[in-house]
């Protein structure tokens, strides 16, 4: 009763607020038996029941009760039969069992089987890849330490989180050969990865062999799944996170930076070696070729000189005097053609003789350079005809003085050569006699 009711707190009247013909007015709400009788009366009215004579009380007959039970049973039967209908989506397969034994396999579409407890069905997705997560759940931050922590071959601990993608290729084998298939795949994958991690060192697992670990794990998991006859095809293994435990991450980061610096320095050294070594090899090859060329040149020159000497010896045996004179003349020609000395005969010449000393010196320098290069003497360029043959007395006087100054030496040198030639001629005449 509401607090705003003006009768709140007062006793109600005898018939106020009570339903008529209620035997339990003083006892509260109606009982369950009364509700059931009311329900039967309504059903009998609906299906032709009769009223009793005692104050209009309704009494159901046997026909009404049987008809009611039949209708209720038919409705229940229809509901029970409808519970055996099921729909299989595209890419899925329905497996129907009779008392737990395989009956048949259905395809995509609307299907029906005998309802429970006779038959049951199970739908298996064969088109969409499924994922089993090891070491984490839904997010790499949600770690599972009992699955992620693994022991390496060098007795170090690493935190490995990975996922396995698989597809069901045989739905019957997937449904009947194993119990709790997803957990079986997860256990097989964890076993395989623990074995692979235990066979390698920590550095290999963290850096060098991380990419190979996924491929090796996929093949090994596939072999184990085939051994269990699960009817699944392992599509791939994704290494989500491979790192040291959280307690030692900082130390391993420093070690990783040091290894990166070492690798960078090694790369720079290798690049420098790749640049320097070819150049050194090229210079060495060039030096070898130069040495080979010099050796060939020296050998050829020596061979030519020996051949020339053999010919000279042969000619000398035929005419010794002529050969000696010719050799002497050729030798003097080579010596005098490269000398820078100038001899002037002041007895037969005049004081106004013009000598192109600058051209003679240039010719001497060119001859010396040509002799060093192995070529013949260089001839002096012809004198310009436009130049006068005679110079003024002022210009010729220094030249005359210099020539006069060098005359005694030249005269003494010439007399020595003349005496040598005469002694040689005397020797030749004696030999000829």
């Amino acid at each position: 009763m509401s607090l705003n009711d003006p009768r709140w707190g007062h006793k109600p009247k005898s018939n106020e607020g009570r339903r008529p013909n209620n035997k339990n007015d003083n006892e509260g709400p109606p009982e369950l038996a009364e509700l059931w009788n009311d329900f039967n009366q309504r059903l009998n009215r609906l299906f032709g029941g009769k009223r009793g004579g005692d104050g209009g009380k309704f009494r159901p007959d046997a026909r009404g009760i049987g008809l009611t039970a039949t209708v209720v049973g038919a409705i229940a039967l229809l509901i029970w039969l409808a519970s055996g209908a099921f729909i299989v989506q595209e890419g899925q397969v329905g497996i129907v069992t009779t008392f737990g034994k395989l009956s048949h396999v259905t395809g995509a579409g609307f299907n029906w089987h005998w309802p429970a407890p006779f038959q049951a069905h199970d739908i298996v997705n064969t088109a969409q890849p499924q994922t089993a997560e090891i070491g984490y759940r839904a997010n790499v931050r949600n770690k599972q330490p009992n699955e992620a922590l693994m022991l390496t071959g060098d007795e170090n601990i690493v935190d490995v989180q990975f996922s396995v993608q698989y597809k069901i290729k045989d739905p019957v084998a997937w449904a009947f050969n194993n119990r709790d298939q997803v957990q079986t795949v997860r256990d097989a994958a964890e076993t395989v990865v623990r074995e692979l991690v235990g066979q390698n060192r920590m550095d290999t697992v963290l850096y060098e062999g991380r990419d190979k670990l996924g491929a090796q794990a996929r093949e090994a998991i596939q072999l184990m799944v085939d051994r269990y006859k699960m009817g699944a095809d392992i599509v791939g293994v994704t290494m989500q996170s491979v790192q040291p435990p959280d307690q030692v991450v900082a130390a391993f980061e420093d070690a990783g930076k040091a290894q990166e610096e070492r690798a960078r320095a090694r790369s720079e050294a290798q690049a420098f070696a790749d640049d320097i070594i070819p150049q050194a090899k090229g210079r060495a090859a060039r030096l070898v070729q130069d040495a080979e060329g010099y050796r060939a040149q020296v050998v050829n020159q020596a061979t030519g000189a020996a051949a020339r000497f053999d010919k000279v010896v042969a000619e000398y045996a035929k005419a010794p005097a002529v050969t000696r004179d010719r050799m002497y003349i050729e030798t003097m020609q080579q010596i005098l053609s490269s000398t820078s000395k100038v001899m002037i005969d002041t007895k037969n010449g005049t004081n106004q003789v013009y000598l192109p000393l600058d051209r003679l010196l240039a010719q001497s320098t060119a001859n010396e350079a040509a002799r060093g290069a192995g070529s013949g003497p260089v001839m002096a360029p012809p004198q310009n005809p436009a130049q006068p043959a005679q110079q003024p007395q002022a210009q010729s006087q220094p030249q005359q003085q210099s020539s006069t100054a060098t005359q005694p030496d030249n005269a003494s040198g010439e007399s020595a050569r003349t005496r040598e030639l005469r002694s040689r001629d005397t020797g030749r005449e004696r030999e000829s006699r």
Side-chain angles (χ1 to χ4, degrees), residues 222-243:
Q222 184 64 58
L223 293 176
M224 186 170 292
V225 167
D226 294 340
R227 191 184 309 158
Y228 291 162
K229 298 180 180 180
M230 296 187 64
D233 185 14
I234 306 300
V235 178
V237 176
T238 303
M239 308 304 296
Q240 300 291 348
S241 175
V242 180
Q243 60 184 3

Side-chain angles (χ1 to χ4, degrees), residues 207 253-267:
Y207 307 109
E253 287 180 353
D254 295 339
K257 292 180 181 178
Q259 290 181 357
E260 291 178 357
E261 292 179 357
R262 181 185 64 179
R264 179 177 57 81
R266 182 177 297 176
S267 299

Side-chain angles (χ1 to χ4, degrees), residues 271-314:
F272 180 74
D274 294 340
D275 184 25
I276 292 299
I277 291 176
Q279 296 180 4
K281 289 182 178 179
R283 288 195 297 268
R286 186 185 62 187
L287 292 175
V288 170
Q289 291 179 357
D290 293 342
E292 292 291 338
Y294 178 74
R295 183 183 65 178
Q297 179 182 0
V298 171
V299 170
N300 293 332
Q301 289 179 358
T303 303
R308 181 174 177 276
F309 182 78
D310 292 338
K311 294 181 179 180
V312 170
V313 168

